[in-house]
Amino acid sequence: MSKNASEAHSESTLFGHPTGLFVLFFTEMWERFSYYGMRALLVLYMTTETMGDARGPGLGWSSQEALALYGWYTMLVYVMSIPGGMIADKLLGQKRAVLFGAIILCMGHGILVFTQTWAFYTGLGLVILGVGLLKPNISTMVGGLYPQGDIRRDKGFSIFYIGINTGSLLATMVIGFVVMKWGWHAGFGLAGIAMLLGLMVYVWGQKFLSHVGNLEVQEANTVDESSYGLLFQNLLKSQKQLLFTGILLVLSIIGWYNLGWAFGLLFLFLTIIAALMMMIYKELDSQVDKDRFVVLLLSFIMVIIFWGAFEQAGGLMNLYTDTKTDRVLLGWEIPTVMFQSLNAGFIILFATVVAGFWANRKLKNKEASSIFKMAMGIIIMGFGFLFMVFAAMQFEKSGSSSMIWLVMAYLFHTIGELCISPVALSFITKLSPVKYASLMMGVYFAATGLGNKVAGIIGESASDLGEYSVFLGILIFTLVIGSIFVMLLKPLQRLTHGAEDNEK
């Protein structure tokens, strides 16, 4: 990894960063166009009646049914990053994993153009598989472009993050008009065209990625060789880890019977991942690596909580915008989907500002650790739900709420996102054991996926509790959790053993 990074670093640069960063930037931009374009449509399409809507027939589902599937879909999109990371680590390398993922995504979005029910489920399934291969590995490649201790790494991830949100902005600005004129499936087709453009950019830019993302083949007698099979074999010889895994397995079976097969399979999958994490921890040689691994796993808790709240944007807040918000501006009704562009637009405006703010604090020897940034991101994002509380209160009084509450909520959500998401991506590349880099990136995205499923469950509860109670509960919970991590900052920093101290 470090050798590849140093070789890539010696190659051509653009705007002070490796040229390969911008190849990955545009590849991810078009991939995120396809993903966020469909994400903005999904719940609305499922809840639209089968007849009588100008946008064409939908599936006619209830909001509770739609939010449930939305939660499962967005979770699986990210949970599949774990096998995607493993496949890259052991079989393909990150570079080829991204290529195959992009091809599968093109197939999935293409199938969604068709109106049959089988096409809907098949297309979603292929998108899940494609993102699982592409998403963790393209992020790992970004980290591989920079040598260890390079302060440009965080800025590089912030630039990469702008690419993500440029795609999201373009999608949510354009796709709503396409749907209004040509219907839902034209919108799905546009997402497929965008993914094809991303694939073309990635294939063209291979010459700038020659030293990044290749499969590193270990010698047969190398003691450092990682083997997931060997980790699970050692589990059978480790009494404490085996006992804990057995307890989780029993709880998974209980969950299967009480909550259904879908949750049961999810719990079994999480049991396997928990066992894998325990055995990786046991395998690590030094206490420094073990401590850093613990901090990394704790940071995933923040990731789950953040996205569980933030992803109300695509579910509950999307439905709230469609049915309870006054969207008329100067006599023109703004399409619901366009409100999804606020987040992406704010990110493009503020990404470099926020990154620069933290970099300046770092240079002035003020608190700017990744853990602190992530905790502050949860707190800032939580305050965004204060405006949704105000929106719900206004709706209860007048039967409609002003769009200004949504704008302010998305602004605070965006600032919070900029404090946690690109920072977490960079943090993982600093603390992960090198031979498990792609796997840990996959675990990060799986944590993001679990947050998405939590978001769907919370959104479903609004049918019984009401939006006001849900928004207020999220506000209080995020402020408490963020504050707890701020109070634990110093002991957590000690456990990183100066992983970020040598940045310059």
Side-chain angles (χ1 to χ4, degrees), residues 288-306:
V288 170
D289 288 339
K290 289 178 181 290
D291 289 345
R292 288 176 175 175
F293 192 72
V294 168
V295 174
L296 196 58
L297 295 181
L298 289 174
S299 73
F300 292 155
I301 295 176
M302 287 194 279
V303 170
I304 294 171
I305 292 169
F306 178 87

Side-chain angles (χ1 to χ4, degrees), residues 148-410:
Q148 291 296 326
D150 192 338
I151 196 173
R152 298 180 307 159
R153 184 187 296 237
D154 279 4
K155 291 185 178 180
F157 272 103
S158 292
I159 293 171
F160 181 69
Y161 213 65
I162 291 175
I164 292 174
N165 289 279
T166 300
S168 174
L169 176 65
L170 292 173
T172 49
M173 290 292 290
V174 172
I175 211 160
F177 292 107
V178 171
V179 170
M180 290 298 295
K181 187 168 181 63
W182 291 291
W184 298 108
H185 294 278
F188 294 143
L190 181 61
I193 293 172
M195 189 60 245
L196 184 61
L197 289 173
L199 176 59
M200 293 168 62
V201 168
Y202 185 70
V203 171
W204 171 84
Q206 289 300 296
K207 58 187 175 182
F208 300 109
L209 303 169
S210 59
H211 299 296
V212 180
N214 299 308
L215 180 63
E216 296 187 8
V217 180
Q218 301 276 356
E219 296 293 334
N221 60 350
T222 301
V223 297
D224 194 43
E225 184 178 5
S226 60
S227 169
Y228 302 123
L230 183 60
L231 288 174
F232 284 115
Q233 288 179 28
N234 291 335
L235 175 64
L236 299 177
K237 307 172 187 177
S238 306
Q239 293 183 355
K240 293 180 181 179
Q241 290 82 358
L242 185 60
L243 176 61
F244 188 70
T245 302
I247 293 172
L248 291 178
L249 184 61
V250 171
L251 292 175
S252 299
I253 295 172
I254 293 173
W256 185 306
Y257 282 105
N258 291 335
L259 300 174
W261 64 269
F263 277 101
L265 289 176
L266 173 61
F267 296 151
L268 287 172
F269 178 77
L270 294 177
T271 297
I272 294 172
I273 298 304
L276 193 59
M277 294 299 101
M278 287 189 291
M279 295 312 299
I280 290 176
Y281 176 83
K282 185 176 180 181
E283 181 199 64
L284 296 175
D285 295 326
S286 70
Q287 190 60 43
V288 170
D289 288 339
K290 289 178 181 290
D291 289 345
R292 288 176 175 175
F293 192 72
V294 168
V295 174
L296 196 58
L297 295 181
L298 289 174
S299 73
F300 292 155
I301 295 176
M302 287 194 279
V303 170
I304 294 171
I305 292 169
F306 178 87
W307 291 110
F310 182 91
E311 275 299 321
Q312 299 305 319
L316 181 60
M317 287 175 65
N318 203 10
L319 291 174
Y320 188 91
T321 304
D322 194 49
T323 59
K324 297 184 177 181
T325 300
D326 181 6
R327 294 180 280 113
V328 177
L329 180 65
L330 301 177
W332 176 63
E333 186 174 61
I334 302 173
T336 301
V337 173
M338 286 193 67
F339 282 87
Q340 299 284 302
S341 67
L342 287 170
N343 171 244
F346 285 143
I347 282 181
I348 293 170
L349 288 174
F350 294 112
T352 55
V353 175
V354 173
F357 169 80
W358 289 116
N360 287 335
R361 282 183 63 90
K362 181 80 171 180
L363 292 173
K364 293 177 182 178
N365 293 319
K366 295 182 179 180
E367 182 56 58
S369 65
S370 294
I371 300 170
F372 181 69
K373 294 176 190 176
M374 293 168 72
M376 291 305 300
I378 292 176
I379 292 172
I380 294 170
M381 183 273 299
F383 271 116
F385 282 95
L386 178 63
F387 299 102
M388 294 310 299
V389 170
F390 293 153
M393 292 171 61
Q394 184 181 24
F395 179 81
E396 290 178 1
K397 290 181 179 179
S398 63
S400 181
S401 63
S402 171
M403 69 178 75
I404 191 63
W405 303 122
L406 281 169
V407 174
M408 292 303 297
Y410 279 120

Side-chain angles (χ1 to χ4, degrees), residues 350 354 377 380-381 410-420:
F350 294 112
V354 173
I380 294 170
M381 183 273 299
Y410 279 120
L411 174 61
F412 274 72
H413 289 183
T414 299
I415 301 300
E417 182 183 2
L418 288 171
C419 291
I420 191 169

Side-chain angles (χ1 to χ4, degrees), residues 414-429:
T414 299
I415 301 300
E417 182 183 2
L418 288 171
C419 291
I420 191 169
S421 192
V423 173
L425 290 172
S426 181
F427 193 52
I428 292 164
T429 64

